[in-house]
C-alpha cells in the first residue's frame, strides 16, 4: 500500500472543497473573499483611530507596522516558493475568479485576515470569536473560489499570526 504525499492529500482536499462550489452561484463567496482585499482593514483602523480613544491610535499603529512587515515577507515567500495556483497546475480546471498574482503559497488574503483578526482580538477581546471566524472564512473562500490549495491557506494563517505576534510584542 502506497502512502499519499502531503501534496496528494492537499490536492484531494482542494477538490473536495472546490466541488461544493463547482456548480453553484459563488456571488456570496466572492463577496466574502473581497472583504479580505484590504479596504475593510483601512476603514476599521481609521474609524477606531478617530472614534475610539482607549486603543484606537495604538491599534492603527500596530496594524500599520504589521502590514508593513507582512507584505514584503509575503512577496518574498511567493517568489521563493513559486507554487503554482490550482488553475495553472491542474488540468481542465478553472477557478471562479482570476487570481491577483501568479503564485499561490502563502495565501495573502488569509495572511492579512489572520493578522487583522489577531490585532482586533488583542485590543478588543470580546470580538475575538467573530474576528477569527471571519479570518477562517476568508481562507476557506480562497479555496472555494479555486485560487488556493488548503496548505496555501494554512501557511497564510501562520504567517498572519506570526507577524501579528511580532507587531503586538513591539507595540502592544
Amino acid at each position: 500500500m502506497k502512502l499519499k504525499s502531503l501534496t496528494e492529500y492537499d490536492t484531494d482536499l482542494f477538490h473536495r472543497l472546490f466541488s461544493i462550489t463547482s456548480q453553484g452561484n459563488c456571488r456570496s463567496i466572492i463577496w466574502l473573499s473581497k472583504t479580505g482585499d484590504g479596504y475593510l482593514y483601512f476603514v476599521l483602523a481609521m474609524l477606531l483611530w478617530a472614534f475610539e480613544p482607549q486603543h484606537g491610535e495604538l491599534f492603527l499603529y500596530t496594524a500599520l507596522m504589521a502590514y508593513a512587515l507582512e507584505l514584503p515577507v509575503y512577496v518574498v515567500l511567493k517568489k521563493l516558493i513559486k507554487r503554482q495556483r490550482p488553475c495553472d497546475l491542474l488540468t481542465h480546471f478553472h477557478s471562479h475568479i482570476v487570481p491577483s498574482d501568479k503564485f499561490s503559497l502563502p495565501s495573502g488574503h488569509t495572511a492579512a485576515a489572520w493578522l487583522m483578526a489577531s490585532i482586533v482580538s488583542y485590543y478588543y477581546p470580546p470580538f475575538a470569536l467573530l474576528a477569527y471566524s471571519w479570518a477562517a472564512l476568508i481562507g476557506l473562500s480562497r479555496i472555494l473560489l479555486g485560487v488556493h490549495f488548503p496548505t496555501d491557506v494554512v501557511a497564510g494563517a501562520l504567517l498572519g499570526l506570526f507577524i501579528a505576534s511580532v507587531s503586538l510584542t513591539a507595540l502592544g
Side-chain angles (χ1 to χ4, degrees):
M1 180 167 85
K2 180 188 172 215
L3 293 176
K4 285 186 175 182
S5 70
L6 178 59
T7 301
E8 291 171 316
Y9 278 112
D10 196 30
T11 304
D12 287 349
L13 182 56
F14 170 80
H15 282 297
R16 287 177 192 214
L17 291 170
F18 183 77
S19 71
I20 295 168
T21 62
S22 63
Q23 301 299 317
N25 182 339
C26 296
R27 275 187 282 187
S28 60
I29 297 167
I30 291 169
W31 177 85
L32 173 65
S33 180
K34 284 184 181 285
T35 67
D37 284 353
Y39 308 109
L40 180 65
Y41 310 142
F42 178 73
V43 169
L44 177 63
M46 295 309 292
L47 287 171
L48 290 171
W49 174 73
F51 299 110
E52 200 283 295
Q54 185 177 4
H55 299 296
E57 186 174 7
L58 194 51
F59 180 94
L60 173 65
Y61 296 148
T62 305
L64 288 172
M65 178 183 175
Y67 286 108
L69 293 172
E70 183 265 340
L71 188 58
V73 171
Y74 153 81
V75 169
V76 167
L77 286 172
K78 282 219 180 203
K79 289 185 180 201
L80 283 174
I81 298 168
K82 295 182 180 179
R83 182 179 195 187
Q84 290 182 300
R85 290 188 180 270
C87 57
D88 297 325
L89 186 63
L90 304 174
T91 55
H92 308 295
F93 177 81
H94 299 285
S95 59
H96 294 295
I97 61 172
V98 176
S100 56
D101 57 39
K102 186 174 179 174
F103 301 118
S104 70
L105 182 67
S107 166
H109 277 77
T110 306
W114 280 85
L115 188 155
M116 180 56 73
S118 298
I119 296 171
V120 166
S121 298
Y122 180 84
Y123 289 109
Y124 307 100
F127 294 98
L129 180 61
L130 176 65
Y132 285 121
S133 297
W134 168 80
L137 288 171
I138 291 291
L140 179 61
S141 76
R142 305 304 288 170
I143 300 166
L144 293 174
L145 293 173
V147 293
H148 283 290
F149 290 104
T151 51
D152 302 338
V153 168
V154 170
L158 292 172
L159 174 61
L161 289 167
F162 174 73
I163 297 293
S165 177
V166 169
S167 299
L168 289 166
T169 299
L171 295 177

